[in-house]
Amino acid sequence: MEKPSSSVVLLPGQAAFQGKGQMAEIGLMWEQIRNPVIVPFLRLMVFVCLAMSTMLFVERVYMGVVIVLVKIFGKKPMKRYKWEPMRDDLELGNSSYPMVLVQIPMYNEREVYQLSIGAACGLSWPSDRIIIQVLDDSTDPLVKDLVETECGKWSSKGVQIKYEIRNNRTGYKAGALKEGLKRSYVKQCDYVVIFDADFQPEPDYLLRAIPFLAHNPEIALVQARWKFVNSDECLMTRMQEMSLDYHFTVEQEVGSSTYAFFGFNGTAGVWRIAAINEAGGWKARTTVEDMDLAVRASLRGWKFLYLGDLQVKNELPSTFKAFRYQQHRWSCGPANLFKKMVGEIIRNKKVTLWKKIYVIYSFFFVRKIIAHIVTFAFYCFVIPMTVLVPEVEIPKWGCVYIPTIITLLNAVGTPRSLHLLIFWILFENVMSFHRTKATFIGLLDAGRVNEWVVTEKLGDGTKNKTAGVKAPRRPFFRITERMHLIELGIGAFLFFCACQDLTFGKNNYFVYLYLQSFAFFIVGFGYVGTFVPNS
């Protein structure tokens, strides 16, 4: 005979009683660690976050003051540096124009390869003084054939265009650019222009940029501003425009006007090839090869010039997946580069002490590390936790006044989007989670430190797929493919804290917490960015 089962069956009342008992144990454990552990830790976090907020506040105010002074009293680039238009010489002919190399790195850029190649081939410059170099790392044979055919089409029109491929993707973009500069025909070139595959320069780009390099031998780089062709595509692209406009309108302008240094944006810039070689060439030790080269060139005394009125059209990532990968690279790379170069910057003897302080403290520490960490730690962790631990208080200047001023200063770059300021704040706080995680990965040299995912460009792909065709309704189960569990978990935590504050709190944090939790839920369920129908 079988022995009676030893399992115990609980009646509904007994199960409820046991559940209450477990909750009571959790509550008792919370009370035991609350005063000796949680309260001191949270007070320390408040102090650290207030210190970081103050650092960021001072940095934003400083840049705001500088940019105002530059706009009122600063000289235009053509007044600060020698500039003369390029002219034909009757005796020298086209040889009076310097030889220019245009590099277009590509990787499976099916949607945009024609736009970028066509724009580069349409630059106003003597055809015998410019070489277009398409660096195709594509792994899709069909895309490679399309790009090669496009290069052949322009070559038949008399354009000096070179189609270059590699056997591997070692070094990713940096590796492709480095290999491109090794070609024998590059030795005759003085300058190299870099355009990512979705960038479309105006025909007069070289005529406006090259003279600064030709007449000022101390300048290594001329950087143009990005102009976004799809900023109105969805709310997420509008949010990106607000962040990037501040970067170009304020950060790049301040760096160029004060220290003649800023981070190269990786595209839409003209480099003096001699400066690249002197700085040690392209290196693939981080995912921000452009910033790496810029810092090394600056430490050797080269100057950079930013031209805010020289704009190059390009595309913002409009899918959340593409944007998230881009932000990981842009946050992880600078933190990792800072870790690797801080000692070299300190030991450098070619630049002034003030420039070292600017690069280490302002450019790297505050903007690339503090700005990411404080946003998530303060607004998505510390403030909600003070609802659960009311003994810990945050001064009003730290949680209201400073954040408000910082936000308004960030918004000046895009006046047309001021009415979207609340959405921008909430979205930036959500993205701060990914940026903070990526920053720590970079600082610690952790697993995904060298992850490189090329930002997906759609070009006219979305229009082509949807024009005149109604997208089929997606099956309901597909929503699981769009869910992001960590965002949903943070959203649930913030929602719980909001309910707690509404019921027992006195600081009215629940207004912000509810809105922020909904923002995390929207991202967590995948309802952000452009949805691209399957073909």
Side-chain angles (χ1 to χ4, degrees), residues 133-201:
Q133 188 183 65
V134 178
L135 305 168
D136 190 12
D137 276 356
S138 298
T139 53
D140 186 333
L142 177 59
V143 175
K144 294 179 74 170
D145 289 342
L146 290 172
V147 175
E148 187 174 11
T149 301
E150 184 71 12
C151 293
K153 184 185 77 173
W154 284 103
S155 179
S156 65
K157 295 180 180 180
V159 177
Q160 292 193 77
I161 185 168
K162 308 290 185 179
Y163 177 71
E164 304 287 359
I165 59 174
R166 299 188 293 164
N167 295 326
N168 56 68
R169 290 189 67 214
T170 303
Y172 301 108
K173 180 181 175 180
L177 296 173
K178 185 175 181 178
E179 284 296 315
L181 291 178
K182 292 180 179 179
R183 298 296 183 263
S184 58
Y185 55 81
V186 175
K187 294 179 181 179
Q188 59 184 310
C189 297
D190 303 296
Y191 311 111
V192 57
V193 192
I194 301 167
F195 294 118
D196 281 354
D198 59 314
F199 277 71
Q200 305 162 52

Side-chain angles (χ1 to χ4, degrees), residues 54-110:
T54 303
M55 294 165 66
L56 186 60
F57 170 75
V58 172
E59 174 70 11
R60 291 292 188 264
V61 172
Y62 158 74
M63 288 196 293
V65 171
V66 172
I67 201 64
V68 169
L69 294 176
V70 168
K71 295 298 182 183
I72 296 176
F73 304 106
K75 294 181 180 180
K76 297 292 183 181
M78 292 181 182
K79 300 292 184 181
R80 289 162 46 206
Y81 295 99
K82 185 179 179 181
W83 189 93
E84 294 179 4
M86 304 302 301
R87 294 188 177 94
D88 294 330
D89 191 296
L90 294 177
E91 296 182 359
L92 298 176
N94 289 341
S95 61
S96 62
Y97 287 79
M99 198 72 185
V100 177
L101 174 71
V102 179
Q103 290 186 314
I104 309 176
M106 290 191 172
Y107 177 73
N108 295 334
E109 309 286 1
R110 181 170 185 167

